Amino acid sequence: MSRTPFIAGNWKMYKTQADAEMFISGLLPQVSSSEGVDVAICVPFTDLQAMVDSTRGSRVQVFAQNMHHAAEGAFTGEVSAPMLTELDVHGVVLGHSERRQFFGETDRELALKVPAALAAGLVPILCVGETESEREAGETERKLRHQVQEGLEQVPRERLAEVVVAYEPIWAIGTGKVATPDQAQEACAFVRALVAGIDADAAQAVRVQYGGSVKPDNAAELLALPDVDGALVGGAALDPGSFAKIVEAARA
Ligand code: PEP
């Protein structure tokens, strides 16, 4: 099955609205002819409305970086899926390792967030990945199995193929230490096999991204791997030129 490559840029807590506008005016002309690649920017809440407005009619989709599983409630500081869809936000990153590490996000919460995002009409990017010590201890598959199975546990089968899973080895995020092609392929194929354990057809359709120090000079090799359907890009997505080069690499 051919899967449309999906390149998403995760801005983390970078870019004021003014910075975001500057970025998008630089990016749009560079990706206007990138047919055959889905492109998204995952931006801070405060940039969402401006980026939805500035990307309307373009090929760039706008994603949030987190949401609460409930539609509304007494959850100070949180934002819900209906609040995002009202702005025409396309999707949401869920379970990024920084949210797990610094904000205590758990697989239990993700089991609620992923189906809540889908139910509201958002495309969820579920992030999974092992630490360096887990890899060294031979625990990578155990960790991925737990994260993928729990994150997808309550997703209705018929909607499974709409979820994007980002395999992001934590030791490669923001470190400049990229997974080797063999490591990335092996882990992304394992993620797909885990989805196949739930539904074989969905596993063929589901997109698995690699994330972790993807840069213009290593993107082509990673994106050519059979089970890597795109990339979740942090640092290199902050500059429109380098992000556009990664989008271009996905077209090859
Ligand atoms: C990320 O933020 O998900 C990420 C992969 O960051 P970087 O590309 O900077 O490693």
Side-chain angles (χ1 to χ4, degrees), residues 128-132 134-135 140 143-144 167-171:
V128 298
E130 80 287 0
T131 63
E132 189 151 42
E134 286 165 339
R135 175 163 282 271
T140 300
K143 177 82 175 285
L144 293 179
Y167 166 64
E168 299 207 297
I170 294 165
W171 47 271

Side-chain angles (χ1 to χ4, degrees), residues 145-159:
R145 182 178 297 109
H146 189 77
Q147 290 182 322
V148 171
Q149 287 179 345
E150 194 151 355
L152 299 181
E153 190 177 81
Q154 293 179 45
V155 173
R157 245 182 195 229
E158 69 278 8
R159 304 214 55 188

Side-chain angles (χ1 to χ4, degrees), residues 3-26:
R3 296 176 290 267
T4 304
F6 180 25
I7 306 298
N10 173 25
W11 287 0
K12 315 189 188 217
M13 197 176 72
Y14 290 99
K15 295 196 189 297
T16 63
Q17 245 184 71
D19 297 334
E21 293 292 8
M22 198 133 70
F23 172 96
I24 205 67
S25 60

